Amino acid sequence: MNPSGPRVPAPSAPAAGAEPADAARTAPPPAETPAVPSAGQAGPPGLPGLPGLPGPPALGASALPARTFEGAVALVTGGGTGLGKAIAAEFARLSAHLVLAGRRAEPLQRARDELDQLGEGGRVSAAVCDIRDPERVAELFDAAEAAFGLPGILVNNAAANFPVPAEDLSPNGWRAVVDTTLTGTWFTTREFGRRHLAAGTPGSIVNIGASYAWTGGPGFAHSAAAKAGVKSLTESLAVEWGPYGIQVNGLVPGLFPHEDMTGDIRAGLDRAAPGPRDRRQPALRTGLPREIGWAATFLTSPYARFITGHTLVVDGANWQRRALVSPEVVPVREQLGRGPFRD
């Protein structure tokens, strides 16, 4: 499960207006969670002698050749914070031109400054865009084309989420999440697809999903329903648009703690799972943001051209975990610290 994202979408944002980054930037590279122990080191407290899955290579490494995306344009929604920024960083390291889209100008500007330091020949632009509005989405693509040319890669990372018992979920809360996570993903995907079909050019789409698209998500009924729609959309469009050279894949992160995780999501995790998270993962560790970035760059690279309609789960097998005996049922209201239901 990846219950990350803004608590609720902000009111409609100004029209998109991508601007190429200035040549000189002074911001340091994005910070990341400290590296986990590598193979052979002690496992989490209470599990001595079990190493878990090894940690990944250092930040800045890549499995793909240098300049794999030289000349390519990647548009990442929700690219100003969290996993979206981590994904964008890996494209920057491989020389892609980047268009970061999001709801708020300030984090987009910070991300643009940071990622511009990582570029290996690519440039970075940022655009404020409310993806729930198809006209703003069209303006986003117009601005991207004016800056760099038609994006050949689209990463649909933008989403909204907050934990809530289903009976407490208001109609506005439902719409806030579904309109961003599912409808917004559709609007950006549709614009990308139509432009490539008109131009007769190939393209690659990665839709960020969640494992509760398969299992359901108690406490996140709105997000789980939306992500199930995104998964279905991924599979439908892979077949429809494959003949035109457009790949459509899904990418599901597991637990990837990061500095931009919203307070309510973090508080919910702390309440439900106090103490070290590592012991709750079959891998005996959580993910590092760069690992989801590597997966996204692979799926859109020339080395994955025959992969489409697939959803890649990067979670250390956590979503498949089952206990020999199921734990006692704890109602969602109790897990979220809510009192008895009152109409």
Side-chain angles (χ1 to χ4, degrees):
M1 180 178 72
N2 174 37
S4 61
R7 179 175 174 81
V8 292
S12 296
E19 297 177 0
D22 297 333
R25 302 289 182 195
T26 58
E32 194 175 38
T33 305
V36 297
S38 58
Q41 293 182 294
L47 295 174
L50 296 179
L53 294 184
L59 183 65
S62 177
L64 297 174
R67 301 189 177 275
T68 290
F69 294 104
E70 188 169 34
V73 182
L75 193 162
V76 183
T77 68
T81 58
L83 296 186
K85 186 170 73 171
I87 290 169
E90 298 309 319
F91 281 104
R93 289 189 175 98
L94 292 169
S95 302
H97 296 308
L98 279 173
V99 180
L100 308 177
R103 298 177 298 113
R104 296 176 295 142
E106 185 177 344
L108 284 172
Q109 180 63 53
R110 286 198 303 266
R112 188 180 78 167
D113 292 348
E114 293 175 7
L115 299 182
D116 200 41
Q117 295 294 303
L118 304 179
E120 295 290 336
R123 293 178 293 154
V124 185
S125 71
V128 173
C129 181
D130 180 357
I131 63 169
R132 299 169 296 173
D133 185 337
E135 292 184 2
R136 301 289 83 79
V137 170
E139 291 170 359
L140 168 66
F141 276 85
D142 288 342
E145 284 202 64
F148 303 129
L150 177 62
I153 297 165
L154 171 63
V155 180
N156 281 311
N157 171 72
N161 201 4
F162 58 93
V164 60
E167 63 273 17
D168 290 349
L169 178 58
S170 70
N172 283 341
W174 171 271
R175 284 191 292 266
V177 170
V178 174
D179 285 357
T180 299
T181 304
L182 177 57
T183 307
T185 292
W186 165 240
F187 287 156
T188 54
T189 297
R190 175 182 182 273
E191 192 69 29
F192 180 93
R194 286 170 61 85
R195 292 189 185 224
H196 278 281
L197 265 63
T201 51
S204 184
I205 300 170
V206 171
N207 294 322
I208 303 301
S211 60
Y212 50 34
W214 293 289
T215 64
F220 296 94
H222 46 358
S223 178
K227 290 295 190 181
V230 169
K231 181 178 182 293
S232 179
L233 188 65
T234 298
E235 293 163 359
S236 298
L237 295 180
V239 175
E240 282 201 45
W241 290 350
Y244 303 100
I246 298 175
Q247 295 168 264
V248 190
N249 287 297
L251 180 57
V252 170
L255 185 57
F256 284 77
H258 55 81
E259 60 186 3
D260 297 314
M261 187 176 286
T262 59
D264 52 2
I265 297 291
R266 191 180 297 276
L269 286 172
D270 290 342
R271 187 185 304 109
R277 305 264 192 273
D278 295 351
R279 294 184 58 182
R280 299 176 182 274
Q281 313 287 316
L284 300 186
R285 70 175 180 89
T286 55
L288 292 177
R290 61 183 178 268
E291 293 180 279
I292 205 70
W294 291 335
T297 52
F298 168 70
L299 286 174
T300 56
S301 76
Y303 305 95
R305 290 290 186 247
F306 203 53
I307 301 174
T308 192
H310 177 68
T311 294
L312 174 62
V313 182
V314 183
D315 81 337
N318 194 53
W319 87 273
Q320 293 151 322
R321 178 184 175 188
R322 298 292 183 273
L324 294 179
V325 178
S326 295
E328 293 184 2
V329 172
V330 179
V332 168
R333 298 192 69 82
E334 186 174 334
Q335 293 182 49
L336 294 178
R338 303 285 182 101
F341 174 69
R342 300 243 193 283
D343 192 358

